[in-house]
Amino acid sequence: MATTIETQSVDQMGGPGSVLARQRRDHAEMDRLMDRYRALEDGTERERVLKQVVQLVFSHAFAEETVLWPAVRRAVADGEELTSRVEEEHQEINDLVTDIERLEPGTAEREEKVTQVFALIRQDIRDEEDLVLPRLQEALDAARLRRLGAAWETVRRSAPTHPHPGVPRRPPGNAVLGVPLSLYDRLRDGLGLGVSGPWGRRILSGLVGLLVSGAVAAIVRKRR
Ligand SMILES: [Fe+2]
Ligand SMILES: [Fe+2]
């Protein structure tokens, strides 16, 4: 009988390198950061923590969608239904964070959206730890859970760190577009460009436009 990974020991989950243990560590960090945001009053520090939440959540979810959910669909009988549910949650998180990044910090409307997105992130964590990951654990042995963990981690480390409306949630579209989008996001993070930096945004948008069109052309060529 599948049981939540919330209360399992690291050994039960297949060791620290298993995808289950890696997921739970990231989820705990998201939880810690969201609590820290709530506890803070200073605007600058709060914004920094919110940015950390967004970067962690988006790189984590991108690696789930490109590596983990396809593995669940291959290994678990009702994998399609289970992964559709978490993909819908990811889409809602994507939409809310897109709005948050457009709104002025400190406004009531933005705070309301932050509250909504934190609740959704927590719901997504519960669905993964209680429903999806235990089913994957039933289907794969510890060695395969560790191999999947290594693959998930590799993608996560170079994944996009912000929402991108319109990018498909499933491979191959998300995987191909992920490369230029990740570069765009990481340049943006590294340069410390807020959404209010019009010139930086314009230059980076031009760059990503070129890269995305190159990636789309590559997909079209491959399919022919
Ligand atoms: Fe997760
Ligand atoms: Fe998720």
Side-chain angles (χ1 to χ4, degrees), residues 11-73:
D11 276 353
Q12 280 176 305
M13 289 189 287
S18 140
V19 72
L20 309 180
R22 289 178 194 267
Q23 277 277 324
R24 202 175 67 187
R25 277 201 299 276
D26 259 17
H27 292 166
E29 178 62 5
M30 288 171 198
D31 218 41
R32 189 190 70 79
L33 287 168
M34 290 189 288
D35 282 348
R36 177 144 175 73
Y37 178 87
R38 283 276 159 255
L40 281 167
E41 281 174 22
D42 168 62
T44 322
E45 180 61 6
R46 260 186 132 212
E47 279 308 297
R48 201 180 63 79
V49 173
L50 183 61
K51 201 174 160 191
Q52 287 179 315
V53 174
V54 169
Q55 289 171 356
L56 177 59
V57 165
F58 279 86
S59 53
H60 178 104
F62 180 86
E64 287 174 345
E65 291 169 2
T66 47
V67 174
L68 204 49
W69 303 158
V72 171
R73 286 192 284 271

